[in-house]
Amino acid sequence: MRKNIVAGNWKMNKNVIEAQQLMFQLLEYKKKNTTNCEVWIAPPAMYLMMAKDVFSHNEIGVLAQDMSEYESGAYTGEISADMLESIHATGTLIGHSERRQYHGETDSHCNVKVKLALDKGLTPIYCNGETLEQRKSGQHLEVVKYQIEVALFTLTAEEIKKVVIAYEPVWAIGTGETASPEQAQEIHKHIRTLIADKYGKDIADEISILYGGSVKPDNAKEIFSQPDIDGGLIGGAALKVEDFAKIIEGFNS
Ligand code: 13P
């Protein structure tokens, strides 16, 4: 059975006091409530150790927002898979559209990173999705196919089972514009079918595919109710405990 996951991507937000406060609020929420999904957060890299301390019993999974494609060495500013493994991080986002847009990350880089993460026992959350122009010109299915094939299809069946995929249409990120549940479901099903065609249905059915892009308390439940949507990767609404909690509760019937 694949997992339901709600993951909060904090991006470049919050100073240390604010970050600590939100972590303690999340810990309290998690202790008081039973959730029907796993809850993970991806705070800025400098707060990862703090997050591991706060969630010392793994109440909430801790993810990096990115990870180097190199194992170690003279790569100023980068963090490695080995470093993340050494703090017992749950995993890392890979290929977020903001990394692609502002830092030139490509599907081939993502392929290397996904493998490195898996080798260290980290869960890669591979982010992909089309731009507005690509959707408007009807290329979205092809674009997503290419992204999935290049970044993931060199993996073995055992490896790909451990990957989480996050479909995040670029036009829905931080814009307040969400893909409709039907639009999201279409792509999620497309991704699962691509994986089934390559690795078989049993493997495809084990992979969690999250939706990201303006998920809010008032649309989470409907999005999560789609058959191929196994949770969300949440940006802005993950920065307030009340909103994030309501999104998590999108999995409560
Ligand atoms: P928003 O939820 O702010 O649209 O961001 C989505 C996202 O990019 C999560 O990684």
Side-chain angles (χ1 to χ4, degrees), residues 9 11 93 96-98 127 168 172-176 212-216 233-237:
N9 175 9
K11 307 191 180 185
L93 306 184
H96 191 281
S97 66
E98 289 146 18
C127 307
E168 300 204 301
I173 295 177
T175 57
S214 299
V215 178
K216 304 286 178 217
L233 183 55
I234 320 300

Side-chain angles (χ1 to χ4, degrees), residues 36-244:
N36 291 328
C37 58
E38 299 222 1
V39 181
W40 297 351
I41 58 164
M46 67 177 286
Y47 307 143
L48 288 171
M49 296 274 293
M50 178 165 80
K52 285 304 301 178
D53 281 346
V54 174
F55 307 116
S56 56
H57 297 288
N58 295 321
E59 296 90 344
I60 288 184
V62 176
L63 306 165
Q65 295 179 9
D66 183 38
M67 188 196 84
S68 175
E69 72 198 89
Y70 302 106
E71 287 186 41
S72 66
Y75 300 103
T76 302
E78 297 281 343
I79 55 173
S80 71
D82 189 51
M83 292 173 195
L84 294 175
E85 183 201 24
S86 71
I87 65 158
H88 307 291
T90 303
T92 180
L93 306 184
I94 290 176
H96 191 281
S97 66
E98 289 146 18
R99 300 293 315 170
R100 295 174 187 257
Q101 192 177 347
Y102 305 124
H103 302 276
E105 192 147 317
T106 65
D107 297 308
S108 309
H109 293 131
C110 294
N111 175 251
V112 176
K113 291 183 180 197
V114 165
K115 281 200 222 153
L116 268 179
L118 289 169
D119 285 348
K120 290 289 177 186
L122 300 163
T123 299
I125 303 194
Y126 174 60
C127 307
N128 63 292
E130 79 285 359
T131 62
L132 186 59
E133 295 69 42
Q134 289 165 336
R135 174 154 288 261
K136 277 187 175 161
S137 59
Q139 290 173 281
H140 45 291
L141 295 175
E142 268 312 301
V143 168
V144 167
K145 179 170 186 263
Y146 180 84
Q147 292 171 329
I148 295 287
E149 283 177 352
V150 175
L152 302 182
F153 280 7
T154 59
L155 302 177
T156 65
E158 277 313 300
E159 286 172 333
I160 201 165
K161 272 201 299 200
K162 297 178 188 147
V163 173
V164 172
I165 295 170
Y167 168 61
E168 300 204 301
V170 179
W171 49 273
I173 295 177
T175 57
E177 190 165 340
T178 324
S180 68
E182 295 73 26
Q183 281 174 321
Q185 166 59 23
E186 181 194 26
I187 302 273
H188 282 233
K189 186 169 177 215
H190 174 57
I191 293 172
R192 208 178 297 286
T193 305
L194 290 169
I195 297 169
D197 290 347
K198 166 97 177 154
Y199 294 96
K201 187 173 181 310
D202 290 352
I203 302 273
D205 283 343
E206 276 192 51
I207 296 179
S208 300
I209 309 177
L210 316 183
Y211 169 78
S214 299
V215 178
K216 304 286 178 217
D218 60 359
N219 60 19
K221 195 179 178 114
E222 203 188 348
I223 293 171
F224 297 164
S225 69
Q226 299 297 312
D228 288 291
I229 300 184
D230 309 307
L233 183 55
I234 320 300
L239 298 173
K240 269 200 202 149
V241 69
E242 299 80 13
D243 289 349
F244 196 50

